[in-house]
Amino acid sequence: MSTDVKTMPQEQLVAANGVKLPIYMDNHATTPLDPRVLEEMLPYFMEKFGNAASRNHSFGWAGEEGVETARERVAKLVGATTKEIIFTSGATESDNLAIKGVAEMYKEKGNHIITAVSEHKAVLDTCKRLEKYCYRVTYLPVQKDGLVDLDDLKRAIDDKTILVTIMAANNEIGVLQPVAEIGKLCRERGVIFHSDATQAVGKVPVDVNKQNIDVMSISAHKMYGPKGVGALYVRRKNPRVQISAIIDGGGHERGMRSGTLNVPGIVGLGKACLICMEDMPKESCHLAGMRNRLRDNIMGRLDEVYINGSMEHRLPGNLNISFAYVEGESLLMGINDVAVSSGSACTSATLEPSYVLKALGTGDDLAHSSIRFGIGRFNTEAEIDYVADRVVETVQRLRELSPLYEMAKEGVDLKQVKWAAE
Amino acid sequence: MSYSDKVLDHYSHPRNVGSMDKGSTDVGTGLVGAPECGDVMKLQIKVNPETSVIEDAKFKTFGCGSAIASSSLATEWVKGKTVDEALQIKNTDIVKELSLPPVKIHCSVLAEDAIRAAIHDWKKKRETAKPETVEARS
């Protein structure tokens, strides 16, 4: 998914009901830094600039102290121990390290990896690369609600399976996979379970022990931390998981990830985790309330609007809707003072509609018509109401312009029409 | 995607939106594209049977901003032209006028197709209605 940012007005405007424009509602793409996170990071740029690996002077110790405090905070949020947290440059690197690292380390044991078609590209493309090196990858389908079928997973595991990698929460539709059940199944079958929890950590409870997760990717900038920093959880016992490094060098992070630590970034990640842990119960209720308000506000006023993915198993701040007969990019243009994303081909680099929505069985027509709303910590109810109003009026306007809407209203079955371009 | 002011203008103030009676012999209807591809254009022309001049044009489009702009522009351009003149409109003219980026060229192609399809439909209707006229013309 991509966001149409260039058409957004740059100057700050104020709408009739007092909300400041443009409104940011694309919190699955990234989140703004929480001011409390920035405050925690600032000393680590100039005063405490030391290299955390400098063991013989106070500058290094100060950096190391910042890093170790952050490690404790990250570990605590996900129920891990500090030695199980490896800092990386973000979730893409974490996914690469997890999948390639396990594949390399366990290649004597087997060459089979299982993932799902709705995973993030950081997982899918890593798996695709491994296929070039004689690994075998099973891409599980997902059901209409976006969830993996556990029976499919059970059937896919064979004696050569070394890794199952399934995300905790989907970045487009916010659907939460049955991670605990997947973890239990993997543990029973002696297969390592990696979960890309980029969108889930800090938003919904994640516990590596309760959910039997062996390796897990974490990102800072999806939870109001800085960009360019993330972490990988690697289980140390019951069972002990080992991974091969993909970056060689000075042997930082217990040899699993060489490279001087991004101390301010790591400090920021730690603080972001601490805030999420403290605020999660209150924040998730508030976000779900706003999300439902947006949904009801839109769906109460428009017909033929479809929610993509399960509403029950979903991140509190996510709403992904298809507006039938309206193309997503034209809808984004109409609400250009609101930053959201679309699954339309016209907004993607590949000119293909969202593969995640296609995986749910959503037709290409409805995938082109989808909008992802990512509601976050700093959104307000006034913003929700403004966005709903703008969406409703723009959809109505574009439907007046839509030959498909006209045909549907005339009773034409669009599925039966022989389209010239097909 | 950053669009030209002309695209934004057509998107915000589309010209000639609407529908005409597709059963009328003077009306030609072109319906091109497919919902699965994210673009469907319906372009209609009303032609004077004596002069072959396109007296009115209407469109409705499902598609991105440049698809809407391309079809809106197409209706503006065909109005007042004879059908033969209208057939001279090329997608590259639309690209130039709207400063469409390369990834949006297919929108202009679709608009050209829509013009041709509408004229084809009108001609076909006329042939059925007055077969002798067609003979004289060919």
Side-chain angles (χ1 to χ4, degrees):
Chain A
M1 283 212 166
S2 64
T3 314
D4 208 4
V5 285
K6 284 189 190 157
T7 54
M8 279 178 38
Q10 293 304 307
E11 71 273 27
Q12 188 96 76
L13 301 167
V14 180
N17 67 345
V19 303
K20 284 183 181 159
L21 302 175
I23 293 168
Y24 188 74
M25 209 172 275
D26 199 18
N27 287 281
H28 301 302
T30 193
T31 55
L33 199 73
D34 189 300
R36 293 169 286 181
V37 172
L38 177 65
E39 201 183 329
E40 191 95 353
M41 291 170 69
L42 284 175
Y44 290 90
F45 286 100
M46 292 179 73
E47 298 148 48
K48 302 182 185 181
F49 64 88
N51 186 330
S54 298
R55 292 282 161 79
N56 49 357
H57 53 65
S58 61
F59 297 90
W61 302 332
E64 190 187 16
E65 194 189 332
V67 168
E68 293 315 313
T69 300
R71 208 185 296 276
E72 281 166 25
R73 290 169 169 178
V74 176
K76 201 168 175 196
L77 178 62
V78 299
T81 62
T82 52
K83 285 183 176 171
E84 295 175 311
I85 302 297
I86 307 296
F87 289 115
T88 67
S89 65
T92 292
E93 186 193 330
S94 294
D95 287 341
N96 271 266
L97 177 56
I99 298 167
K100 290 173 183 168
V102 167
E104 166 74 19
M105 183 61 76
Y106 295 88
K107 65 183 175 197
E108 303 300 325
K109 193 184 166 217
N111 68 341
H112 182 223
I113 295 167
I114 300 170
T115 185
V117 289
S118 58
E119 291 294 307
H120 192 273
K121 288 286 182 190
V123 167
L124 290 176
D125 287 356
T126 302
C127 288
K128 282 204 185 100
R129 185 173 296 278
L130 288 173
E131 283 183 292
K132 290 181 188 158
Y133 298 97
C134 299
Y135 287 89
R136 189 160 49 88
V137 181
T138 300
Y139 300 90
L140 296 176
V142 291
Q143 302 170 93
K144 207 172 164 34
D145 58 5
L147 271 73
V148 166
D149 184 336
L150 291 169
D151 288 327
D152 285 344
L153 175 60
K154 247 181 236 171
R155 278 190 293 270
I157 296 176
D158 63 33
D159 57 358
K160 291 285 180 200
T161 308
I162 50 173
L163 175 70
V164 169
T165 170
I166 304 281
M167 69 198 336
N170 185 273
N171 50 304
E172 289 189 29
I173 53 176
V175 164
L176 303 169
Q177 294 292 352
V179 170
E181 289 80 359
I182 295 169
K184 185 165 174 279
L185 188 61
C186 290
R187 188 64 52 84
E188 285 164 8
R189 302 288 294 267
V191 175
I192 294 168
F193 174 38
H194 165 248
S195 186
D196 174 354
T198 306
Q199 299 284 350
V201 169
K203 317 290 172 50
V204 290
V206 172
D207 186 302
V208 291
N209 291 314
K210 284 186 193 150
Q211 294 174 299
N212 293 314
I213 298 167
D214 297 320
V215 189
M216 184 172 75
S217 304
I218 298 169
S219 173
H221 78 106
K222 308 289 191 189
M223 50 171 155
Y224 314 96
K227 290 163 189 62
V229 59
L232 185 68
Y233 159 78
V234 185
R235 179 173 287 282
R236 290 260 289 177
K237 57 179 186 185
N238 307 320
R240 177 180 164 87
V241 174
Q242 289 179 285
I243 56 171
S244 295
I246 55 176
I247 295 177
D248 296 308
H252 306 76
E253 299 296 273
R254 294 186 298 114
M256 281 189 261
R257 204 279 188 177
S258 289
T260 296
L261 294 180
N262 168 8
V263 178
I266 290 166
V267 167
L269 168 60
K271 182 67 175 180
C273 286
L274 181 68
I275 295 169
C276 284
M277 197 160 85
E278 288 171 350
D279 292 356
M280 196 187 295
K282 192 173 54 149
E283 187 165 88
S284 61
C285 283
H286 180 58
L287 289 178
M290 286 200 290
R291 188 265 316 276
N292 293 345
R293 184 186 178 105
L294 179 65
R295 176 196 61 189
D296 297 345
N297 215 332
I298 290 173
M299 296 185 79
R301 288 188 279 168
L302 292 172
D303 62 342
E304 298 215 48
V305 170
Y306 305 98
I307 294 175
N308 295 307
S310 167
M311 261 325 271
E312 189 190 345
H313 306 282
R314 198 182 195 97
L315 286 174
N318 176 278
L319 188 62
N320 188 309
I321 317 189
S322 287
F323 299 89
Y325 319 119
V326 172
E327 195 276 331
E329 195 220 62
S330 65
L331 180 50
L332 289 187
M333 277 178 80
I335 53 169
N336 65 350
D337 49 10
V338 180
V340 291
S341 289
S342 171
S344 156
C346 284
T347 62
S348 79
T350 56
L351 291 179
E352 281 291 324
S354 158
Y355 67 92
V356 173
L357 297 183
K358 287 174 83 166
L360 304 188
T362 305
D364 279 11
D365 51 341
L366 283 176
H368 285 295
S369 304
S370 72
I371 299 286
R372 175 186 71 178
F373 301 90
I375 302 159
R377 181 176 290 166
F378 302 109
N379 288 124
T380 63
E381 292 198 342
E383 288 178 340
I384 294 286
D385 294 345
Y386 177 84
V387 170
D389 287 349
R390 291 300 311 275
V391 168
V392 169
E393 72 190 31
T394 307
V395 169
Q396 283 169 341
R397 184 174 91 80
L398 291 172
R399 281 183 173 172
E400 285 308 308
L401 218 68
S402 170
L404 303 179
Y405 189 66
E406 181 182 69
M407 290 164 83
K409 291 291 144 192
E410 284 168 358
V412 176
D413 182 357
L414 296 173
K415 300 268 178 256
Q416 302 302 319
V417 175
K418 196 166 158 39
W419 297 101
E422 282 181 339
Chain B
M1 186 62 55
S2 78
Y3 280 128
S4 68
D5 290 344
K6 280 182 181 166
V7 170
L8 294 174
D9 184 45
H10 277 282
Y11 171 81
S12 305
H13 310 285
R15 331 296 199 247
N16 308 309
V17 176
S19 296
M20 293 189 275
D21 174 14
K22 58 177 181 276
S24 164
T25 39
D26 296 340
V27 172
T29 302
L31 183 66
V32 296
E36 290 73 22
C37 305
D39 296 295
V40 175
M41 287 181 192
K42 186 185 79 168
L43 192 145
Q44 293 184 301
I45 50 171
K46 184 169 185 289
V47 187
N48 184 319
E50 307 298 321
T51 60
S52 293
V53 168
I54 298 170
E55 291 179 336
D56 199 7
K58 295 280 181 203
F59 88 97
K60 283 201 175 191
T61 288
F62 161 82
C64 61
S66 51
I68 290 170
S70 296
S71 40
S72 171
L73 177 67
T75 58
E76 273 194 322
W77 277 359
V78 298
K79 268 210 244 181
K81 287 193 167 73
T82 64
V83 291
D84 288 336
E85 285 165 352
L87 284 170
Q88 301 304 311
I89 296 170
K90 291 279 172 289
N91 83 291
T92 45
D93 305 331
I94 296 170
V95 171
K96 211 169 145 193
E97 173 68 15
L98 297 176
S99 314
L100 294 180
V103 292
K104 296 293 181 185
I105 287 174
H106 73 277
C107 297
S108 68
V109 174
L110 210 57
E112 184 189 318
D113 289 349
I115 297 172
R116 289 173 179 277
I119 292 172
H120 178 76
D121 182 59
W122 172 76
K123 282 186 174 170
K124 208 169 67 185
K125 274 184 190 165
R126 212 162 78 127
E127 282 166 22
T128 332
K130 300 176 188 172
E132 70 285 355
T133 323
V134 177
E135 264 182 26
R137 278 167 54 87
S138 60

